[in-house]
Amino acid sequence: MALSIFNKNRYEVENAKFISDRAFYLVVAAALLFGFAVNALEVVFLADIVVTWNPIVFLVVYLILAIGGVCINAFSRNPALSFIGYCMVVLPIGALLAMVVPAYSIGVVRSAFIVTTILAVIFGLLAVMYPKIFYSMWKVLAVSLLIALIWSLVAMFTGNYFSSGYVWLDWVVVLVFCCYVGFDVARAYARPKTLDNAVDSACGLYLDLINIFIRLLAIFGRRD
């Protein structure tokens, strides 16, 4: 049952068709596995293709699809349309991973995957035990992420980002997204259990985990 402090939130919809808690979490898990499986296939089969794409065209298409998908997923109350939005997020991120992942050794990719999984389990469990704490973090998390991203861009343009001295910045972003995992788990727990909200929850968690994985690749890649 949702926490009382979340009973009146913007995700609650009238005349919605509710599903059981078990079905809700199964849909979230299935959608996440679907997204990761699609990404894995893209890395395997597109790695030699994406490197030939025009980077500016790729960036424009990537932003259009990803931002459009997030908006559709966030504002649609139709589960089918929300899933289309989710796929619009998954596909361009998979193409990005197809560019990034082959640059790292198998050991680095494996380490990043294992640590991402461990962090997801830890912060997911913490969110189940202390949902109010994570749900109250969203303003701090948003500000922290904005500051970290701005700092990352400044470091990139100054040419210092890839030096070992900036590993701490990646760890800060990893921590922020770990807290976002907790926030999204707490939010999923609090949401009315509808099929559409299950897809929305999966999209949020997918983005959190992918960002953690990419940052860990950068961290472990510097050491490799």
Side-chain angles (χ1 to χ4, degrees), residues 60-71 85 88-90 92-93 207:
V60 172
V61 174
Y62 173 90
L63 291 174
I64 291 174
L65 287 176
I67 294 175
V70 168
C71 291
M88 289 172 62
V89 174
V90 167
I93 287 179
L207 288 170

Side-chain angles (χ1 to χ4, degrees), residues 82-181:
S82 290
F83 184 73
I84 291 174
Y86 176 56
C87 290
M88 289 172 62
V89 174
V90 167
L91 290 174
I93 287 179
L96 177 64
L97 290 173
M99 287 183 175
V100 173
V101 171
Y104 298 96
S105 68
I106 295 297
V108 169
V109 175
R110 181 171 55 246
S111 297
F113 175 79
I114 292 173
V115 175
T116 299
T117 303
I118 293 172
L119 290 174
V121 171
I122 291 173
F123 279 83
L125 290 175
L126 287 174
V128 171
M129 293 186 291
Y130 310 105
K132 293 182 181 180
I133 294 176
F134 282 96
Y135 208 85
S136 64
M137 284 183 176
W138 71 271
K139 290 183 179 179
V140 175
L141 291 175
V143 173
S144 300
L145 181 59
L146 180 61
I147 293 173
L149 291 177
I150 292 174
W151 198 308
S152 297
L153 289 173
V154 171
M156 285 182 181
F157 281 113
T158 57
N160 295 322
Y161 180 77
F162 296 100
S163 66
S164 58
Y166 277 80
V167 173
W168 66 270
L169 181 58
D170 281 318
W171 278 118
V172 168
V173 178
V174 167
L175 178 60
V176 171
F177 276 108
C178 283
C179 292
Y180 265 115
V181 169

Side-chain angles (χ1 to χ4, degrees), residues 4 7 10 16 18 42 45 47 55 68 70 75-76 117 128 138-139 158 162 181-182 193 197 199 201 210 217-218:
S4 60
N7 281 345
R10 70 186 185 89
F18 293 91
E42 288 180 279
F45 293 105
V70 168
F75 294 107
S76 170
T117 303
V128 171
W138 71 271
K139 290 183 179 179
T158 57
F162 296 100
V181 169
K193 300 302 182 285
N197 281 342
V199 177
S201 297
I210 286 295
L217 278 179

